[in-house]
Amino acid sequence: MAQAYFPSKVTSPNKELANLLSGERQLKVEDVQEAYVEQKDRLVNAIDATKSIMLDIQTFNKDEWIIRYPQYKEAIETVSPPSAPRRKSLRRSLTFVDDPVTETEVVVRKKMQRSVTVSPISEHTEEEEETDEDASSDFNVLRLDLKLGPNSTVTSLVSQLEKSSIANLLDERINASLNHVDKLRLRVEDTSSKVLVTGDLNAGKSTFVNALLRREVMPVDQQPCTTAFCEVHDAAENKGVEEVHIISQGHSYDVNDESSFTRASISDLEDIVGENEDNERIFKLYLADTRTPSESLLNNGVVDISLIDAPGLNRDSLKTTALFARQEEIDVVVFVVSAENHFTLSAREFLVNASKEKAYLFIVVNKFEQIKNKEKCRRLVLDQIKQLSPRTYENADDLVHFVDSAAALQPYTANPTFDDLESSLRSFVLVKRSKSKLHPVSTYLNNLLTDVELLAGANSIVANTELEQAKESLAQVKPVLERMKNGQESLEESLETLEEEGASGASSRSKLILAQALERVGQGKLGIDNSLVSLPSYPGIFGVWNFARDVRKALLASLDTAVKLAEDEARMITSAGVDRIKDLGEHHLPASVDRNRRVFMPEAMFSTVRKAGKGSTKNRRSLTVVAGGVHGLGIGLAQRPDMQEITFFDLFDVQHQFWLHFGDGQSDKATTADEESAAPTALGLASVGVGALTMVGGQAIGAKGLIEGIIRVSDLFGNETVRKWAAPVLGAVTIGMTAYLVLELPNSIPKTVGRRVRASVLRLHGDDDISFIDAHTFRISRETRKVLRLASWDLRGRFNGAMEERGKEVQAKEEIAKRATRAMEWFGELGRKSEEIRVNARLGSDA
Ligand SMILES: Nc1nc2c(ncn2[C@@H]2O[C@H](COP(=O)(O)OP(=O)(O)OP(=O)(O)O)[C@@H](O)[C@H]2O)c(=O)[nH]1
């Protein structure tokens, strides 16, 4: 026997019902009921579980991971030789709407009916190739309509559709599906089912309904009488009260809305139906069925069946009835035909149309008792049915019943044929309900879960790719960061040492050069042997004044040169330091970090124009002036007017000569910075010859001072004897010394000038309590330190910036890896959950 009511592809759970119908002639109503209830409960659970995972998807999409919407395209198959096994796997190229360019080749695998998994091609093995070609790789329910217009392409959409806006669209789609799932739940839980009873006039429809109800409720007449639709419901739906509700015309009926109907007593039904003969009205009858749920049709404990006694067909009401039969809420059409008359023309018309709509009809051949040649009648009727509704004919055992309704109404009389009809009808109603109410739900849930699995699979791949990328980046960046962290301290130390060494190196070199130069100048030699500066040659006694000035200039210039030399050395030290800092950068900075492209220009050192005044210290101002660097302000010692002045003492350093000849030879030490400020001593003055005086002119000592000096000298020689000898001795000594001094001038002037230059240079910073050497040393080492510090600051900045950047990158990548791992787990779990729902609810029927 064919599997009743279902196409051949039927699988569980409808298959169970179908098997029940097909396996045995005698339908086990309880089993059908049980199977129905079980399936209903499974579906309700599946609906709730699906709803819960859909809500989870929404939350996950909103809070943790922007769900990507995949598109699967047919992958280009490589041409395989004819001998090779035919590839049945669904190789698809996976792209995303927001990124249609990146394609991943995947395999869409069918796991169970209509359930699919998506995995990267790399995880695919040849053994798994035996995949059903039917495996869907497209969305059913969650399909996003991304077409904006006839000319829009996916690529043109990309600019308009960001990842997040697609996720929003998906969210909306999920909302819509959630609403639909809610409706499905109501539908599954709605236990009402309508059975329309119709047939030819006088075929015995009302009698049949009465027989089903086991009481005479419907008016039965020899004359055709029923013109109204009488819907019979269980009184439980009307709070247990038996009554008739006459539906007010133009109102939609609601059992709880008094205004939508008029009440009447059951006993008045005949009159009411009679009164409304010309109107096709609807009455609602509420009847209490006292039989047990297993016996009762109305009160069967599974679905609330309502019977609709429709008007006979061969009236004008044919169309109305036909329309009624087409209504979606009509689960089963029971056609009552009289065994005596068979099918009239209008009955045939109705049956052909109805069987197109409902495929299976339940046919009651009534008044069968009266037929003498029952077999012939049976054959004739079945032959007619075969033509009118072939499918009904195929299942005639269950769907075509030859009974006598009037006999069934006889109390206390066993009527197995009618009982059989009743069981069949109940099962048919349940199976039909399963098909009309449960099956669409099962299909929808299955489609939705398939979509969920496609989403989960695609997003798992995305998450996996992101994880791999993050891991790859981390594998590169993390060691760099570690290296930087470890190297930070040593870099810091190296830079400090470099700065320190540079500054102290420059300082000690400057100090040495300047000290040596000053020492030489003090001895009347050029501070530096340099072709640029040379000592003038002695022009003779009459040019002695200019000679002294030129010597002074030359010595000063040689000191300037020494300063320049010290600066040049500092430049070299700085340059070497900058190079070492560069090397440190090369060593410590990651390859991708930009190096300092600025070129160090040593000649730019010591050339800063300092603005004296604003915020500058006294010390700085004096340094500015003294900074004799040729590259400085151009005011070297040799250019300073105050240093050019030549005095008498540049020619004759009396005190020095005195100590040289009579003292302990320590005059050099005595030539302190105070020398010039000290007043000329009496002895000094006394030793000055007239010639010298004339040469000096009024330059240094006035006549008044000279006379005062002589008086003071004469005071020394207070004693008579001494006074007597003193004059000649003093005269001789004076003459001798003068001659000696004059002869010695070419040699002594440079020395005297040098000594005095040295002394005055050393005193230049007297106010600041700092010497010429120290001032320059300080300036030069400070400049060196400054340049080195700038370079090391730059490196430090780059290093710290790069380290911070790497730190952030590592953090970001770790975050991505964490999120991707979580997403992978989550989507994996989602796929598993979805599959579990599918398995538990036994979804996937193609019925
Ligand atoms: N012997 C016998 N008579 C029946 C049977 N069923 C109905 N009748 C009689 O047939 C006549 C018509 O019965 P109804 O039940 O009124 O028929 P109907 O199809 O409802 O009639 P309309 O509603 O007017 O179309 C009545 O006189 C019934 O007694 C049956 O099974 N056996």
Side-chain angles (χ1 to χ4, degrees), residues 452-737:
V452 165
E453 281 154 37
L454 279 178
L455 268 188
N459 280 276
S460 271
I461 291 175
V462 173
N464 189 37
T465 314
E466 280 192 20
L467 178 66
E468 289 307 317
Q469 282 170 352
K471 272 187 188 164
E472 212 171 284
S473 315
L474 277 175
Q476 284 170 1
V477 183
K478 237 179 166 175
V480 174
L481 180 67
E482 282 308 308
R483 223 173 21 247
M484 289 183 88
K485 272 184 183 165
N486 294 336
Q488 190 180 27
E489 212 171 297
S490 96
L491 173 68
E492 200 60 46
E493 273 173 22
S494 306
L495 287 176
E496 264 169 39
T497 316
L498 253 166
E499 264 176 47
E500 206 45 56
E501 278 178 5
S504 63
S507 167
S508 56
R509 278 301 295 158
S510 299
K511 204 169 230 165
L512 190 70
I513 292 167
L514 294 179
Q516 282 174 352
L518 210 55
E519 190 60 41
R520 286 169 61 91
V521 166
Q523 291 161 10
K525 296 180 212 155
L526 288 172
I528 297 283
D529 282 326
N530 191 316
S531 58
L532 292 173
V533 188
S534 57
L535 278 173
S537 51
Y538 184 63
I541 188 79
F542 296 106
V544 76
W545 191 257
N546 285 339
F547 176 65
R549 199 188 55 218
D550 291 346
V551 165
R552 181 172 261 270
K553 252 190 186 168
L555 292 181
L556 287 171
S558 79
L559 277 181
D560 285 344
T561 315
V563 170
K564 187 184 171 296
L565 181 70
E567 287 180 349
D568 283 345
E569 291 240 353
R571 284 187 179 95
M572 275 156 64
I573 290 169
T574 312
S575 200
V578 168
D579 284 346
R580 280 180 63 195
I581 289 172
K582 242 179 210 161
D583 291 345
L584 278 177
E586 277 316 317
H587 178 69
H588 284 276
L589 284 180
S592 57
V593 176
D594 272 351
R595 294 337 196 222
N596 188 352
R597 298 262 170 264
R598 277 185 293 176
V599 177
F600 170 61
M601 298 206 314
E603 58 274 20
M605 279 179 84
F606 309 111
S607 65
T608 318
V609 177
R610 295 197 185 88
K611 281 184 188 142
K614 193 179 162 193
S616 67
T617 60
K618 198 174 161 197
N619 190 19
R620 192 176 281 182
R621 196 179 308 131
S622 66
L623 282 177
T624 308
V625 179
V626 176
V630 175
H631 301 280
L633 287 175
I635 310 173
L637 289 171
Q639 276 80 40
R640 284 179 52 170
D642 59 323
M643 295 297 289
Q644 310 282 334
E645 251 173 57
I646 294 294
T647 64
F648 165 77
F649 296 104
D650 282 322
L651 303 183
F652 300 103
D653 191 344
V654 180
Q655 199 182 28
H656 177 75
Q657 295 297 340
F658 177 81
W659 286 113
L660 202 66
H661 294 284
F662 305 103
D664 55 3
Q666 298 294 312
S667 71
D668 269 7
K669 283 179 189 160
T671 51
T672 62
D674 294 332
E675 188 187 6
E676 201 173 3
S677 62
T681 60
L683 191 63
L685 285 173
S687 67
V688 173
V690 179
L693 272 178
T694 50
M695 278 188 292
V696 172
Q699 289 271 345
I701 307 164
K704 196 174 162 226
L706 184 65
I707 291 161
E708 279 173 1
I710 292 169
I711 290 167
R712 272 202 296 277
V713 169
S714 61
D715 285 348
L716 279 172
F717 306 97
N719 145 330
E720 194 63 26
T721 319
V722 173
R723 222 177 278 167
K724 202 170 131 192
W725 286 101
V729 169
L730 197 64
V733 167
T734 306
I735 290 164
M737 277 182 71

Side-chain angles (χ1 to χ4, degrees), residues 295-306:
E295 294 169 331
S296 166
L297 187 73
L298 290 185
N299 174 29
N300 59 55
V302 181
V303 287
D304 301 323
I305 294 175
S306 56

Side-chain angles (χ1 to χ4, degrees), residues 256-275:
N256 298 312
D257 179 8
E258 295 276 343
S259 67
S260 69
F261 60 89
T262 321
R263 292 176 202 277
S265 142
I266 299 285
S267 54
D268 296 335
L269 185 64
E270 198 164 341
D271 299 337
I272 299 161
V273 171
E275 277 168 25

Side-chain angles (χ1 to χ4, degrees), residues 261-417:
F261 60 89
T262 321
R263 292 176 202 277
S265 142
I266 299 285
S267 54
D268 296 335
L269 185 64
E270 198 164 341
D271 299 337
I272 299 161
V273 171
E275 277 168 25
N276 292 280
E277 223 175 81
D278 296 329
N279 295 327
E280 290 153 359
R281 304 203 52 190
I282 302 171
F283 303 102
K284 299 265 178 184
L285 264 74
Y286 292 95
L287 293 179
D289 197 332
T290 49
R291 291 178 299 166
T292 60
S294 60
E295 294 169 331
S296 166
L297 187 73
L298 290 185
N299 174 29
N300 59 55
V302 181
V303 287
D304 301 323
I305 294 175
S306 56
L307 292 166
I308 303 166
D309 186 8
L313 288 178
N314 36 358
R315 282 201 173 212
D316 301 337
S317 58
L318 173 68
K319 273 193 186 144
T320 319
T321 312
L323 215 68
F324 213 95
R326 224 174 284 148
Q327 281 182 19
E328 211 183 289
E329 57 187 310
I330 301 295
D331 291 315
V332 172
V333 172
V334 175
F335 196 86
V336 182
V337 58
S338 165
E340 298 161 333
N341 303 334
H342 299 187
F343 298 97
T344 62
L345 200 64
S346 49
R348 286 159 189 268
E349 194 187 331
F350 177 85
L351 281 173
V352 168
N353 286 324
S355 69
K356 274 185 205 152
E357 192 74 34
K358 303 280 180 195
Y360 301 97
L361 299 164
F362 197 91
I363 295 174
V364 177
V365 185
N366 200 23
K367 304 183 186 177
F368 197 56
E369 285 294 308
Q370 297 168 12
I371 304 298
K372 287 206 178 95
N373 191 344
K374 289 193 167 55
E375 268 319 298
K376 188 182 172 197
C377 172
R378 192 187 289 271
R379 205 176 56 243
L380 285 172
V381 169
L382 285 173
D383 278 351
Q384 283 177 305
I385 291 174
K386 191 177 180 179
Q387 279 152 28
L388 296 169
S389 176
R391 282 183 159 181
T392 309
Y393 175 77
E394 280 170 25
N395 298 281
D397 282 353
D398 289 321
L399 301 177
V400 182
H401 293 264
F402 296 83
V403 293
D404 197 286
S405 304
L409 268 168
Q410 300 294 320
Y412 316 113
T413 318
N415 195 333
T417 43

